[in-house]
Amino acid sequence: MAGVGRDVHSKAISQFSYYQNSGNHYLDSAATTQKPDSVIDAVTQGYRHFCAPVHRGSYPLSEVASSAYETARSKVAQFINASAQQLIFTKSCTESINHVALGWAKSKIKPGHKIWISQMEHNANYLPWLQLCKETGAELKIIEIDSEGHLQIDQTGLWDDSTFLIALTHCSNILGGETPVQEVCDKARNHGIYTLIDAAQSVSHIPIDVKALGCDFLAFSAHKMYGPEGIGALYIDAQRQLEMSPLLLGGGSIESVSEQQIRLREAPHCFEAGSPNLSGALGFAAAVDFLQAFPQGAISCYVGNLGQQFRQALAKQNNITLLPVAGGGNTTSVVSFVVEGVHPHDMAQTAADNDVSIRTGSHCSHLLMSYLKFGAVNRLSLGIYNHSDDIQPLIESINAAADIFA
Amino acid sequence: MSNKEHQAILMEHYKSPHGLGVINEKHTVGKGVNSLCGDEIRVGVVVENNTITDIKFEARACSICIASSSIMTQILTNKKTSEVNSFYEELLDILKKNDVSAESHRLLIPLSNISKMPSRHKCALLSWEALRDACKL
């Protein structure tokens, strides 16, 4: 396994120009990943060679741009084992989830219905549901976690007839690990409950097959899987797609229009009003190519084992509180911790002074912060370019911060 | 004075802050929250005849926020409420423009170390904004 890990890292690292000239230990891939040269090239090539309106021009350059855009869609869809028609491009994972809340759930949900989310959701998978419940008389319920990070999927009420939707993160942006999405989706389907999976943190390293998973919706974004900023994706089950309304109306989404009537195009185009993000789509597809060049499961194995090494190193320090890993266990791409007597902001600043980039704050996860009774925590999160060589500089930064502040 | 000396002064404020204490019913309270990091601060002021006679703060906050709060209580105790905004704006200039001159208040000058860290400006300003809230400025 160690050999596979070395292969993954050595194959990856040479593809990131950032690492040719930087001594920085970048440990913030849960926020955004560095981009391999192939992704950067795909974005710039798009502007150099295919710069024309997508689905709007009748001249050859526009045809090339349209074809490239749809090829990119097919590639991203195939990456999660969906058909191209089932995948819409959005600007982000956040927009994808909002699209489900406003374009689908809002017209179907009734007072008394319940939407369940987990205690470890990012605000992107919390606030849209909170707002929707306030507006519709539905109720937002929280699936709790225990002190070891296990999701309490046998919680009273979760599988009741009144449950309309379960919206669940696949991998917590603070606790890392993996939630039991397959078990939840299987059980939900048997109970007639809809499911949305937030795959923003998992899609970079955990293989996803929406057909096997059986979810109704799956949201993710490119920039956390080595792709460009500003483009996300939403998988929509074929039946749910028929029930869904576009979030935006405008150019490119209509078949015909008269003074009084709009006839929408077929999916996915009806959900993508406005000029499509061609360069983003090209970069997104290049990120898929980048990930698929590694053997299935190899990245998950590599970053998971590396996360475990970080946890073990931190656990040896007597001044650190480690947060649990979602789902229990130790293999994780995200490790969160607090250093005794050192405010997380001061810890992150000291690390930055030592060329170690870690995060501080509430990480847009106020539900979890409130449950854990922390105002803020430090978080390190790993990408394919990280290595066990990144551990010692972090430990030295922690020791330096403790010397200064504790 | 060097950055290192400024840093030493800020650390002294952090380790032994002025004004850190219990807010009671005599205080009018303002609150500050840094949504980025979850820091929270309460600043209580006693104002008599338009003069701030006492300032206390309670905080769950980082070293910069604590140090800035400590400096604030030193500067503004026994000052008129009408003077608060001019000190606040002086701090803003120090942080945003690194604008330090011979006229700068000597207690504010160490905070110029923060000017090169835009992500920490909010930390240095949090208690000042809470105090302005308390004074309804």
Side-chain angles (χ1 to χ4, degrees):
Chain A
M1 200 58 75
V4 173
R6 271 197 301 274
D7 289 348
V8 167
H9 181 264
S10 59
K11 182 174 173 180
I13 194 74
S14 62
Q15 300 182 54
F16 289 84
S17 287
Y18 175 73
Y19 283 98
Q20 308 307 312
N21 300 305
S22 173
N24 182 30
H25 302 276
Y26 184 76
L27 298 172
D28 199 14
S29 292
T32 196
T33 52
Q34 298 297 321
K35 319 305 175 197
D37 294 343
S38 58
V39 167
I40 297 166
D41 290 345
V43 172
T44 56
Q45 292 296 315
Y47 281 119
R48 285 206 174 92
H49 302 298
F50 311 130
C51 191
V54 171
H55 299 317
R56 281 154 172 77
S58 55
Y59 46 86
L61 190 59
S62 177
E63 300 286 3
V64 172
S66 302
S67 172
Y69 184 74
E70 291 307 326
T71 301
R73 185 199 307 279
S74 297
K75 182 158 282 179
V76 176
Q78 162 266 321
F79 180 59
I80 56 166
N81 198 24
S83 72
Q85 196 181 5
Q86 292 174 305
L87 187 122
I88 67 170
F89 284 129
T90 60
K91 74 173 185 187
S92 60
C93 187
T94 299
E95 184 178 286
S96 297
I97 296 169
N98 275 271
H99 206 137
V100 179
L102 300 173
W104 175 77
K106 193 171 184 176
S107 64
K108 289 184 70 75
I109 201 163
K110 303 279 188 295
H113 274 160
K114 293 183 177 66
I115 292 174
W116 288 78
I117 62 172
S118 82
Q119 209 155 28
M120 53 188 150
E121 297 306 321
H122 188 283
N123 286 346
N125 198 28
Y126 164 38
L127 302 183
W129 307 118
L130 180 66
Q131 183 65 21
L132 183 68
C133 287
K134 278 185 178 173
E135 287 176 9
T136 60
E139 190 179 351
L140 186 66
K141 302 284 286 182
I142 307 298
I143 312 172
E144 294 173 0
I145 55 169
D146 67 14
S147 58
E148 293 176 339
H150 296 105
L151 195 66
Q152 302 301 290
I153 59 172
D154 293 324
Q155 197 170 320
T156 306
L158 175 58
W159 306 106
D160 286 359
D161 290 346
S162 58
T163 297
F164 171 77
L165 172 76
I166 298 172
L168 176 63
T169 184
H170 189 188
C171 175
S172 163
N173 70 315
I174 294 187
L175 304 184
E178 188 175 358
T179 62
V181 286
Q182 187 69 63
E183 192 179 349
V184 168
C185 287
D186 288 346
K187 206 164 175 181
R189 209 164 40 253
N190 290 336
H191 285 78
I193 297 167
Y194 301 114
T195 48
L196 176 144
I197 303 301
D198 174 357
Q201 293 296 340
S202 60
V203 71
S204 66
H205 62 282
I206 301 176
I208 291 174
D209 179 336
V210 288
K211 283 186 187 149
L213 196 54
C215 58
D216 292 285
F217 305 96
L218 186 127
F220 58 109
S221 65
H223 79 107
K224 294 183 198 290
M225 52 174 274
Y226 310 98
E229 319 289 328
I231 188 161
L234 174 64
Y235 158 78
I236 314 167
D237 167 80
Q239 188 57 38
R240 301 291 84 71
Q241 209 169 53
L242 296 173
E243 302 161 355
M244 194 157 179
S245 301
L247 201 58
L248 302 172
L249 291 173
S253 64
I254 50 149
E255 193 69 53
S256 64
V257 63
S258 64
E259 266 187 35
Q260 299 297 328
Q261 278 202 321
I262 299 168
R263 191 167 155 222
L264 292 170
R265 288 178 72 188
E266 287 188 342
H269 309 294
C270 60
F271 299 112
E272 294 180 359
S275 296
N277 179 357
L278 173 60
S279 64
L282 296 173
F284 208 157
V288 169
D289 282 337
F290 169 75
L291 289 172
Q292 289 187 325
F294 295 90
Q296 172 100 339
I299 297 174
S300 175
C301 181
Y302 177 67
V303 295
N305 287 338
L306 187 57
Q308 189 168 17
Q309 289 178 53
F310 269 92
R311 280 185 70 82
Q312 286 166 348
L314 290 170
K316 284 182 189 162
Q317 303 288 114
N318 58 11
N319 57 347
I320 283 183
T321 301
L322 272 172
L323 272 61
V325 174
N330 268 325
T331 53
T332 179
S333 62
V334 177
V335 179
S336 292
F337 61 96
V338 175
V339 182
E340 192 181 322
V342 182
H343 188 281
H345 227 145
D346 294 323
M347 179 61 243
Q349 189 71 55
T350 307
D353 293 342
N354 289 300
D355 274 336
V356 178
S357 301
I358 58 169
R359 276 292 284 277
T360 176
S362 52
H363 311 281
C364 300
S365 297
H366 290 84
L367 276 176
L368 186 63
M369 285 291 111
S370 172
Y371 167 68
L372 295 171
K373 297 189 170 48
F374 286 116
V377 299
N378 287 118
R379 178 188 76 183
L380 67 92
S381 53
L382 304 169
I384 198 167
Y385 30 69
N386 290 120
H387 190 269
S388 54
D389 291 347
D390 294 320
I391 296 174
Q392 192 53 31
L394 174 66
I395 298 295
E396 286 167 9
S397 299
I398 289 168
N399 291 335
D403 284 345
I404 297 167
F405 296 102
Chain B
M1 201 178 276
S2 68
N3 285 349
K4 208 169 176 180
E5 287 166 310
H6 291 160
Q7 187 58 26
I9 291 169
L10 294 177
M11 282 305 294
E12 205 175 304
H13 279 286
Y14 170 58
K15 298 273 187 181
S16 308
H18 300 268
L20 181 66
V22 177
I23 293 169
N24 61 38
E25 66 283 353
K26 290 180 187 166
H27 293 94
T28 304
V29 178
K31 294 177 185 172
V33 175
N34 186 344
S35 59
L36 181 70
C37 62
D39 280 359
E40 292 177 359
I41 192 160
R42 293 174 77 234
V43 175
V45 291
V46 178
V47 178
E48 295 168 17
N49 299 322
N50 298 321
T51 299
I52 298 170
T53 58
D54 187 45
I55 312 176
K56 289 282 187 297
F57 71 93
E58 299 168 349
R60 181 179 68 184
C62 66
S63 62
I64 291 171
C65 183
I66 300 286
S68 183
S69 305
S70 171
I71 290 167
M72 177 185 77
T73 65
Q74 275 195 301
I75 293 176
L76 293 180
T77 302
N78 296 323
K79 292 286 190 304
K80 296 282 184 193
T81 53
S82 57
E83 294 177 89
V84 169
N85 274 347
S86 64
F87 285 109
Y88 174 71
E89 277 157 22
E90 187 178 340
L91 174 59
L92 273 181
D93 284 345
I94 287 172
L95 292 173
K96 308 280 183 194
K97 303 175 191 166
N98 198 17
D99 185 6
V100 178
S101 69
E103 284 78 43
S104 298
H105 194 293
R106 66 176 178 82
L107 291 175
L108 287 176
I109 291 172
L111 289 166
S112 63
N113 267 23
I114 317 301
S115 68
K116 60 182 181 295
M117 298 185 278
S119 66
R120 308 299 298 273
H121 290 180
K122 178 77 176 171
C123 309
L125 292 168
L126 199 62
S127 57
W128 293 75
E129 288 167 358
L131 181 132
R132 291 173 80 229
D133 178 33
C135 294
K136 306 279 182 280
L137 295 172

